[in-house]
Amino acid sequence: MHGIQRRDEPTRDVYVVQDEKGDREFAGFGLPSDKYCDCYLDSSVMPVDDIKSAAIMVTGTLALAQPKTRETIEKAVQLAHEGGCKVDLLKVSDADLEWLLDMDLKTALLNPCKVAEAFPRAQGVLVTAGEEGAAYCFKSNAKGESSGFIPCYNVKVEETTGAGDAFTAGFIYKLLQAGGLDALAADATKLKEAVAFGSAAGALTCTRKGAIDGQPSLDEVMQLYDSAQKQANWEQYGNMGVGASSA
């Protein structure tokens, strides 16, 4: 493994509180936020060739709060673009909606394209909301706009930490299978399946404790995803606009 930068500052520790349903909220850090190693990502030692040749670039939002790391991430995005990588897909949670857009969850789930309007440079927007389900809105030059909703999977929740990361991983897995973002956005069925697959990954994470230890295997996600399709009328999911095109 290469591309890892090592410093003397500690790895960030994040405190969370959990309610009786297993839902978690972030409760701060063990040290002042700028005392962790992730605040000092150095652009001069980035693996430039690897970034330029990447099919996918994934980044979070926390690191953007620190100037040095923000500068490095922005340079990485530029390098990825130069290599032809898509960096115009956004996933937001229900908490992000309130903080960034002052938008209520019901509006976002019923009309995810309303969320997308706030991010005109994004080709696709994913809205994840735990037990409330997930919604999406994607733009395709060939097929116009596709949007839809996927209800949550029925699982016994132990803890929700890490569910958003698992959702993202599952969605990206299907995105790559589809041949990339442009191909996925142009195929309403595969787009819906990708969101459902990501939701299955997120749901399985909630059945175990821990953000890392709780991550499921690919086989486990496939089993839940396949069983849900067999038990439900798959075509009813996403009937709020999946496959609809606009000029």
Side-chain angles (χ1 to χ4, degrees), residues 2-240:
H2 63 286
I4 296 176
Q5 299 183 20
R6 302 187 183 279
R7 294 182 56 91
D8 293 334
E9 294 87 356
T11 301
R12 185 177 298 273
D13 51 355
V14 182
Y15 295 155
V16 299
V17 293
Q18 181 180 332
D19 65 19
E20 64 278 2
K21 293 182 179 180
D23 288 335
R24 63 96 185 96
E25 289 188 9
F26 293 112
F29 312 113
L31 298 172
S33 187
D34 62 352
K35 300 301 182 182
Y36 293 101
C37 61
D38 59 12
C39 299
Y40 304 100
L41 201 61
D42 188 351
S43 62
S44 68
V45 293
M46 285 193 304
V48 173
D49 291 339
D50 288 343
I51 294 174
K52 283 187 173 182
S53 62
I56 295 288
M57 176 180 174
V58 180
T59 181
T61 54
L62 180 61
L64 296 175
Q66 302 300 326
K68 184 174 181 61
T69 295
R70 180 187 179 92
E71 177 185 345
T72 300
I73 291 175
E74 289 175 343
K75 182 176 180 180
V77 169
Q78 179 182 351
L79 290 171
H81 271 304
E82 291 174 2
C85 181
K86 289 287 187 179
V87 202
D88 49 5
L89 174 62
L90 183 70
K91 189 195 84 68
V92 294
S93 68
D94 46 356
D96 296 329
L97 288 170
E98 182 178 354
W99 187 69
L100 291 173
L101 303 178
D102 194 25
M103 182 182 295
D104 65 273
L105 179 58
K106 183 178 180 180
T107 298
L109 292 179
L110 287 174
N111 187 7
C113 292
K114 187 73 175 176
V115 181
E117 289 176 4
F119 305 99
R121 294 174 59 187
Q123 187 174 350
V125 170
L126 298 158
V127 179
T128 57
E131 64 181 0
E132 301 297 330
Y136 56 95
C137 180
F138 280 67
K139 292 175 280 189
S140 166
N141 291 332
K143 298 293 184 178
E145 195 172 78
S146 294
S147 64
F149 171 79
I150 297 294
C152 70
Y153 288 80
N154 184 19
V155 297
K156 183 178 179 180
V157 175
E158 184 72 24
E159 181 186 341
T160 61
T161 308
D165 295 325
F167 175 96
T168 300
F171 181 85
I172 288 175
Y173 176 80
K174 284 293 187 180
L175 184 154
L176 292 173
Q177 274 194 336
L181 183 54
D182 289 335
L184 186 67
D187 189 321
T189 299
K190 288 183 179 179
L191 176 58
K192 176 176 59 175
E193 291 173 349
V195 179
F197 194 83
S199 296
L204 284 171
T205 302
C206 295
T207 64
R208 305 161 183 164
K209 285 187 175 294
I212 304 301
D213 292 341
Q215 298 295 313
S217 69
L218 178 58
D219 285 343
E220 289 173 323
V221 178
M222 286 182 167
Q223 288 176 15
L224 178 59
Y225 170 76
D226 289 340
S227 65
Q229 289 192 71
K230 293 175 182 177
Q231 294 172 14
N233 179 7
W234 180 242
E235 293 304 321
Q236 71 178 323
Y237 292 162
N239 58 8
M240 57 183 281

